[in-house]
Amino acid sequence: MSTTTPTPAPAVPAAGDPARLSRRLGLWFAHAYVIGLCGTLAGAYFFQFGLWEYPCPMCLLQRMFFLLSALGPAWIIARSRKRALTAREWASGWGWAILAAVTGSTVSAAQVLMHIVPPDPGYAGALFGLHLYTWALITFLAAAVAAAAALFPTPSAEPLDAGLTSPALRRAGAVTLAVLVVFAATNLIACFLLQGFHWQMSGDPTGYRFFTDLGL
């Protein structure tokens, strides 16, 4: 009679094990990625609502790609609060972040090329001598590199259970996801106010068409 040797269960890292610490840091990095992109949108809001510089359609499209890129690690954060993640889920979330960041960078690059030939002054104001779409291009490329770096520990990501075992990460997860939802909602509202009930938005907006159509 043949006997089968039972497959040993995978070793679970101890609480002080460096592998567990690296997985916890990986989740904190996901939080930093989401908050960082939301901070970029906050800077764009300052120019729009603080300096009254209205974003063009390409500017709004870049904002949407920032939000889309943040969705990848946000999905990782949301899943990690319910159960341990697999390496496939970890890689999928960061892969989505890279795809959205690279796609957004093409929009920013296109806008840079539209205004690169002198004496074109560029669209809207500048920060430290660079227009916002140039900063967006830099941010998109930096985000893609950061997301790619987060993929390197994928082979050793399991079991990614830090979101369950760390109370601080669980609390931070609720806050980070709420911040992303707020920025997604406010960006949608800002787009609607700029475009109003029209199918197309002006390439060089000078006000909020929603209020203009109401005679305000």
Side-chain angles (χ1 to χ4, degrees), residues 71-96:
L71 277 182
W75 179 78
I76 291 175
I77 293 169
R79 301 279 285 187
S80 70
R81 300 181 75 242
K82 297 180 180 179
R83 59 176 178 79
L85 289 174
T86 64
R88 176 178 295 181
E89 291 170 329
W90 176 264
S92 297
W94 286 113
W96 175 267

Side-chain angles (χ1 to χ4, degrees), residues 89-174:
E89 291 170 329
W90 176 264
S92 297
W94 286 113
W96 175 267
I98 295 172
L99 178 62
V102 171
T103 307
S105 70
T106 63
V107 180
S108 298
Q111 193 169 10
V112 169
L113 294 176
M114 287 172 58
H115 301 285
I116 200 171
V117 179
D120 192 320
Y123 182 80
L127 179 65
F128 301 119
L130 298 177
H131 290 278
L132 292 188
Y133 44 81
T134 305
W135 282 113
L137 175 59
I138 296 172
T139 305
F140 275 126
L141 295 177
V145 171
L151 284 174
F152 280 97
T154 299
S156 59
E158 295 177 315
L160 190 60
D161 57 354
L164 294 174
T165 59
S166 171
L169 274 170
R170 287 185 59 82
R171 291 191 295 267

Side-chain angles (χ1 to χ4, degrees), residues 5-213:
T5 303
T7 304
V12 178
D17 188 68
R20 183 175 290 276
L21 176 61
S22 66
R23 291 163 189 157
R24 190 180 297 119
L25 291 177
L27 275 180
W28 280 119
F29 182 76
H31 285 269
Y33 189 95
V34 175
I35 296 299
L37 291 186
C38 289
T40 301
L41 293 178
Y45 284 175
F46 172 76
F47 274 79
Q48 179 178 350
F49 301 110
L51 303 179
W52 295 98
E53 294 186 358
Y54 304 101
C56 68
M58 293 189 73
C59 299
L60 294 177
L61 188 59
Q62 291 164 70
R63 292 185 187 182
M64 293 177 186
F65 277 112
F66 278 127
L67 292 170
L68 286 174
S69 185
L71 277 182
W75 179 78
I76 291 175
I77 293 169
R79 301 279 285 187
S80 70
R81 300 181 75 242
K82 297 180 180 179
R83 59 176 178 79
L85 289 174
T86 64
R88 176 178 295 181
E89 291 170 329
W90 176 264
S92 297
W94 286 113
W96 175 267
I98 295 172
L99 178 62
V102 171
T103 307
S105 70
T106 63
V107 180
S108 298
Q111 193 169 10
V112 169
L113 294 176
M114 287 172 58
H115 301 285
I116 200 171
V117 179
D120 192 320
Y123 182 80
L127 179 65
F128 301 119
L130 298 177
H131 290 278
L132 292 188
Y133 44 81
T134 305
W135 282 113
L137 175 59
I138 296 172
T139 305
F140 275 126
L141 295 177
V145 171
L151 284 174
F152 280 97
T154 299
S156 59
E158 295 177 315
L160 190 60
D161 57 354
L164 294 174
T165 59
S166 171
L169 274 170
R170 287 185 59 82
R171 291 191 295 267
V175 174
T176 299
L177 294 175
V179 169
L180 181 60
V181 169
V182 168
F183 273 91
T186 53
N187 188 65
L188 180 63
I189 294 171
C191 291
F192 173 71
L193 295 179
L194 282 165
Q195 186 170 343
F197 293 99
H198 301 271
W199 286 107
Q200 290 185 334
M201 178 180 167
S202 170
D204 186 11
T206 57
Y208 295 99
R209 298 181 71 182
F210 174 78
F211 297 118
T212 302
D213 293 341

